[in-house]
Amino acid sequence: MDRRGSRSHSRDNARGIRRREFLKSAVAIGGASALAACMGRSDDSIPRGGTSKLPERQHAWNDYLRHDDHGNPLNPRHHVLVFLDYSGDVPSEEDRDSVEESLSDLEEAFAWGSDGLLFTVGYSPYYFERFDADTPTSIELPKPEPLADFESPDPDKYDAVLHLASDHATAVLSAEEALLGEVDEANGVEVSPLDGIFERNERRTGFVGEGLPAQNQDVDGIPDSEPVDEDAPMYMGFKSGFLKNQATEDRVTVDEGGFAGGTTQHVSRLRLRLEQWYEQDSRYQRVGKMFCPAHAQEGRVEGTGESLGDSSRMEDCGDAVESARQNGMVGHSQKMVSARRDGSPVMIRRDFDSTDGGEAGLHFVALQESISDFVSTRKAMNGTRVSRSSPVGTKTNNGILQYISVERRGNYLVPPRSLRALPTPNP
């Protein structure tokens, strides 16, 4: 390429980065004005929904996501979590019909997929408290609580959470604003609003995917040296969500009872503090703490983890306690092996990074058949057995615990699609 071509490519690339930064910022700001500005800068053509029947499982996203060359599913690039409270006392059939109409309108406005829109709506244990009947015994839906001695998260007490996700910033923004009655239509389709039925109490936003963390690292919690690589999909610099490190959608689906076909959802807000991660720890240490010391010693992790293929290859890491005794540290993924059942993971992670509040964060979104599956996985992450049996500290050199803190935590039931509109405890 000649110099003129190089300059042209650089200008195009710079315009592309500025555009992506702007779109990310618009999602974070939210509101009708941000949507208008976003649409004015976007030339995206977003496919509309068709007449084909959608899966009964709201959480059935995998067949509609992009995948990388190894078959790993790629989480949509833009996300909004909208936390809602029901405006009435006990939901009426009229309100149920209205909610279903609103959500069906969204499905007509956007194709179901990363290139259109994916979404779930889940309900908390606080929502079900308004009914005389308890939730069915087939669904375990406890209130959120601290899961380690060193954490004290605030519980999310909202009635419901709506998770909107798309590769297009304008899709998540316009869907949110249309549902809340701020605009009349989304993607050219009139949408019945949820206002008057639900009140929006909080929104959390974020992004995931190559380039986005690097373009948005001017926040608290990330060193001023801007250390996040251009190709990193997340702030900590490595891939996550390897195909074989995720449960299948079948495995996380409730298989009996009135909510068969649904799943449970855990949502945490995590604060990231990556000064030591990037300015004191070497890449050897970062690989060892994220994956395992053996991966660092053998140089198995190239770049952001592409060399690992479709698995983090924890079978090559050895026993966590013995590894910690020999190396003085243990890997985050290495500890998670103890939470597997019959050798397979029990959760699907659909988390994403965030700049909410001007600080680096991660919104951890996990799906599992039972909240107890999340609890056992989180306790495995604590590495208590490892720290009691090796030089590894409660948090220091104990995976990535010293770089994150849990600020908020919430549990939800994601019903099957046919029951997603203001469900009763015993459908």
Side-chain angles (χ1 to χ4, degrees):
M1 181 180 293
D2 61 19
R3 293 179 61 189
R4 177 178 296 179
S6 296
R7 287 196 299 270
S8 175
H9 174 76
S10 297
R11 287 196 298 271
D12 290 344
N13 189 47
R15 282 196 293 268
I17 291 174
R18 286 196 294 271
R19 177 178 173 274
R20 291 194 293 270
E21 287 177 338
F22 175 83
L23 295 176
K24 191 281 302 178
S25 298
V27 173
I29 294 168
S33 58
L35 173 61
C38 186
M39 294 182 71
R41 292 282 296 270
S42 173
D43 56 2
D44 292 341
S45 175
I46 305 176
R48 288 186 182 173
T51 57
S52 58
K53 184 176 175 59
L54 297 180
E56 173 67 351
R57 303 170 182 177
Q58 290 193 73
H59 57 285
W61 289 14
N62 285 357
D63 287 345
Y64 304 87
L65 297 173
R66 292 178 291 112
H67 294 74
D68 67 14
D69 293 341
H70 302 289
N72 299 309
L74 299 174
N75 208 4
R77 291 172 66 84
H78 299 281
H79 296 255
V80 176
L81 294 168
V82 187
F83 294 87
L84 303 164
D85 279 333
Y86 179 59
S87 300
D89 184 10
V90 177
S92 65
E93 287 303 316
E94 181 180 4
D95 283 350
R96 287 194 181 90
D97 291 342
S98 296
V99 170
E100 180 55 37
E101 182 180 2
S102 298
L103 299 178
S104 296
D105 287 344
L106 275 193
E107 291 163 348
E108 181 181 349
F110 299 100
W112 188 252
S114 298
D115 197 38
L117 181 72
L118 294 163
F119 65 90
T120 62
V121 57
Y123 296 87
S124 75
Y126 304 96
Y127 164 80
F128 287 106
E129 284 185 337
R130 58 180 29 86
F131 298 94
D132 292 333
D134 295 331
T135 51
T137 54
S138 61
I139 299 294
E140 184 211 20
L141 190 65
K143 294 178 179 177
E145 58 183 13
L147 296 175
D149 293 339
F150 49 80
E151 65 173 29
S152 54
D154 292 327
D156 284 335
K157 296 184 177 179
Y158 308 114
D159 283 332
V161 61
L162 180 67
H163 181 188
L164 302 165
S166 175
D167 283 344
H168 300 281
T170 50
V172 294
L173 263 180
S174 59
E176 178 187 11
E177 293 307 302
L179 285 178
L180 297 175
E182 299 296 330
V183 297
D184 296 330
E185 62 179 40
N187 206 26
V189 174
E190 186 174 351
V191 175
S192 300
L194 291 171
D195 59 332
I197 301 175
F198 277 119
E199 175 184 355
R200 179 176 60 185
N201 272 311
E202 186 181 350
R203 65 190 303 271
R204 299 174 194 165
T205 69
F207 48 85
V208 62
E210 181 179 337
L212 286 174
Q215 295 155 23
N216 297 285
Q217 57 183 309
D218 184 20
V219 289
D220 290 345
I222 305 289
D224 294 339
S225 57
E226 299 187 346
V228 182
D229 287 341
E230 287 290 336
D231 58 351
M234 302 195 79
Y235 275 139
M236 299 195 78
F238 298 106
K239 297 176 64 169
S240 68
F242 292 97
L243 176 65
K244 293 182 178 177
N245 290 85
Q246 297 267 60
T248 64
E249 289 176 342
D250 284 345
R251 192 178 188 95
V252 304
T253 299
V254 176
D255 60 8
E256 61 181 16
F259 288 110
T263 190
T264 69
Q265 180 185 53
H266 176 83
V267 179
S268 298
R269 176 174 180 165
L270 279 62
R271 175 182 295 176
L272 300 178
R273 286 289 179 264
L274 302 182
E275 289 83 1
Q276 178 182 331
W277 180 256
Y278 280 116
E279 298 200 328
Q280 296 181 39
D281 290 357
S282 64
R283 177 174 172 85
Y284 179 95
Q285 291 170 308
R286 291 196 293 273
V287 170
K289 293 177 181 179
M290 179 61 76
F291 296 99
C292 69
H295 277 13
Q297 292 160 6
E298 298 294 330
R300 297 168 182 158
V301 181
E302 298 175 4
T304 65
E306 292 84 357
S307 55
L308 297 174
D310 61 1
S311 164
S312 57
R313 293 168 53 183
M314 289 299 102
E315 67 276 11
D316 299 331
C317 289
D319 177 73
V321 172
E322 187 61 30
S323 175
R325 286 173 178 162
Q326 293 179 1
N327 300 285
M329 66 176 168
V330 65
H332 168 72
S333 299
Q334 189 176 19
K335 292 182 290 181
M336 298 298 103
V337 173
S338 65
R340 295 186 178 190
R341 194 172 304 145
D342 301 326
S344 299
V346 297
M347 293 188 342
I348 294 175
R349 288 181 54 178
R350 288 179 175 156
D351 46 297
F352 50 92
D353 282 341
S354 172
T355 59
D356 287 348
E359 61 183 16
L362 184 142
H363 295 307
F364 187 84
V365 179
L367 303 175
Q368 52 284 308
E369 181 178 8
S370 167
I371 292 296
S372 64
D373 293 332
F374 164 75
V375 172
S376 62
T377 303
R378 182 60 180 82
K379 289 187 175 179
M381 181 179 167
N382 291 342
T384 304
R385 185 174 68 93
V386 175
S387 63
R388 287 176 177 169
S389 308
S390 74
V392 167
T394 303
K395 297 180 71 174
T396 304
N397 294 327
N398 193 340
I400 58 174
L401 288 176
Q402 68 193 97
Y403 310 101
I404 64 174
S405 60
V406 184
E407 305 294 311
R408 301 192 67 90
R409 178 171 282 159
N411 295 330
Y412 303 88
L413 165 67
V414 179
R417 192 178 300 272
S418 57
L419 298 173
R420 64 184 174 178
L422 297 169
T424 63
N426 292 297

